[in-house]
Amino acid sequence: MVATGTLLTLVVAATASLFMAWAIGAGSSGSTPFAPAVGANAISVMRAGFLVGLLGFAGAVLQGANVTEAVGTQLIGGVSLTATAAIVGLLTAAVLVAVGVFTGYPIATAFTVTGAVVGVGLALGGDPAWAKYRQIAALWVLTPFVGGGAAYATARLLRMPAVPERYAIAGLGGLVGALVATIEFALLGSAGEGGSIASTLGTAVPGGTVVAAAGCAILVAGVLFRGLVTDPETTQRRFLLSLGGLVAFSAGGSQVGLAIGPLVPLLDDVAVPLWAVLAGGGSGLLLGSWTGAPRMIKALAQDYSSLGPRRSIAALIPSFAIAQAAVAFGIPVSFNEIVVSAIIGSGYAAGGGGVSRRKMAYTVLAWAGSLLLAFVLGYGLFVVVDTLVT
């Protein structure tokens, strides 16, 4: 039976986690997935906020376990986060993200949460998890180059006169179909494990998983090609919205871990399964997307690049791929960094027109500053609170 004092502390920690989930939903996971589609006038701002909330919730429940466990148990060695440490870390990060939401600048959520959790963990007496830090740093550093470079190459492909647009988009759609077929979902695997569409279908077809994934790719490419022949404008718009939906789903699977990860070490004290905590975090993301995301969607869609459908498609495909790689390896990643880098890359494919260099510079400074500030505040505030409590 849980003592009253312990239960009260856990309630406060859960409330801080819910606030963090709201801030994430209103910021990175709620704003970035559909920003290119809004910029291309494929969907309205309010409708984008509504859809991204629902899809983010689904991603949180079906794909959120990997990043959640990484944030909760792999950023610090030697100690487990206490309820007090979780509260201080979550509130520190949430306030910084909320400031970004209301000022219109996309603070990188993964940077703030990682900095805050590492800060409180070290103040608690833990050891640096250098191996995990190297993984995280590698992804964070490579994301602008890989995502921006892939978006640039894709946008250039779509602009090449020698390649008919219907062939290029259909081929890209086939690639996306193969990726969707191979990512893992909680519902498709055995207890405690995920499973992919291709692995599930592969048990019933000759050639197994590879043939099933190839079949999904061919099916998507064929449907897209037919649509691009009969009604190219509508088909292109639907493809763009589908990509936004996939990125929104991936955002939920990744970003929910930033909100509820610090609670994982506390679950041993209460009989609450991880899926229920994921659902609670997903609800926070949904609420944040519905109430706060439209402001950031508008900022991203209008301030970074004047996007058309082709450049938006070019931005969303690498965003989806990088996001799913981060989910698979359990690495906290900033969706602001992913999508903004891709938007900029696709913008430069058109000669750099519409890309705000001033906004880019401020954004990069905000990313770096949020990591350092969250670390310092997390460490310092925990020391103060721990001293007062004890």
Side-chain angles (χ1 to χ4, degrees):
M1 188 171 181
V2 182
T4 302
T6 302
L7 182 60
L8 181 61
T9 305
L10 290 173
V11 169
V12 175
T15 303
S17 177
L18 185 62
F19 176 49
M20 183 72 233
W22 176 89
I24 293 173
S28 61
S29 75
S31 62
T32 51
F34 276 103
V38 172
N41 295 318
I43 188 173
S44 68
V45 171
M46 296 306 297
R47 184 171 294 180
F50 177 77
L51 290 178
V52 78
L54 296 176
L55 293 166
F57 175 84
V61 175
L62 296 177
Q63 284 197 312
N66 281 358
V67 176
T68 297
E69 292 175 355
V71 172
T73 62
Q74 298 175 21
L75 294 181
I76 290 292
V79 299
S80 294
L81 294 180
T82 63
T84 302
I87 292 169
V88 172
L90 286 167
L91 288 179
T92 299
V95 169
L96 291 175
V97 173
V99 169
V101 171
F102 291 112
T103 58
Y105 281 90
I107 300 297
T109 309
F111 287 30
T112 57
V113 173
T114 301
V117 170
V118 172
V120 299
L122 294 180
L124 192 62
D127 302 319
W130 293 115
K132 192 65 177 180
Y133 299 163
R134 285 192 289 270
Q135 287 184 346
I136 294 171
L139 182 63
W140 287 359
V141 171
L142 289 175
T143 289
F145 300 100
V146 175
Y152 176 86
T154 303
R156 293 289 294 180
L157 172 66
L158 293 174
R159 292 173 60 86
M160 291 178 62
V163 181
E165 191 172 77
R166 60 181 180 274
Y167 289 104
I169 293 179
L172 293 170
L175 175 62
V176 172
L179 289 174
V180 172
T182 53
I183 62 177
E184 294 190 346
F185 303 92
L187 292 178
L188 297 179
S190 56
E193 298 182 0
S196 68
I197 296 173
S199 63
T200 302
L201 295 177
T203 59
V205 299
T209 301
V210 175
V211 172
C216 291
I218 293 171
L219 176 62
V220 173
V223 170
L224 267 177
F225 185 84
R226 178 177 175 81
L228 289 166
V229 171
T230 57
D231 190 352
E233 184 175 343
T234 300
T235 301
Q236 192 176 89
R237 176 177 174 273
R238 289 175 178 172
F239 181 46
L240 176 57
L241 293 177
S242 297
L243 289 174
L246 290 172
V247 175
F249 179 87
S250 303
S254 171
Q255 303 294 279
V256 71
L258 301 175
I260 67 173
L263 299 182
V264 170
L266 312 180
L267 297 182
D268 293 336
D269 298 328
V270 291
V272 179
L274 181 59
W275 69 263
V277 181
L278 290 170
S283 299
L285 294 180
L286 184 149
L287 184 62
S289 297
W290 284 0
T291 59
R295 176 186 177 90
M296 288 296 293
I297 292 174
K298 183 177 180 181
L300 280 174
Q302 295 181 358
D303 291 346
Y304 285 90
S305 184
S306 301
L307 299 174
R310 290 180 297 182
R311 285 162 63 183
S312 297
I313 290 171
L316 287 173
I317 291 176
S319 297
F320 169 59
I322 293 174
Q324 283 298 325
V327 169
F329 289 104
I331 299 176
V333 64
S334 166
F335 264 75
N336 283 327
E337 183 187 17
I338 291 175
V339 178
V340 169
S341 299
I343 288 175
I344 292 170
S346 64
Y348 272 107
V355 177
S356 170
R357 291 176 174 81
R358 180 173 178 271
K359 188 77 172 182
M360 288 164 50
Y362 277 122
T363 300
V364 172
L365 288 175
W367 289 342
S370 61
L371 174 64
L372 180 60
L373 183 60
F375 173 80
V376 172
L377 287 177
Y379 188 99
L381 289 175
F382 179 79
V383 170
V384 172
V385 171
D386 190 54
T387 302
L388 294 175
V389 171
T390 56

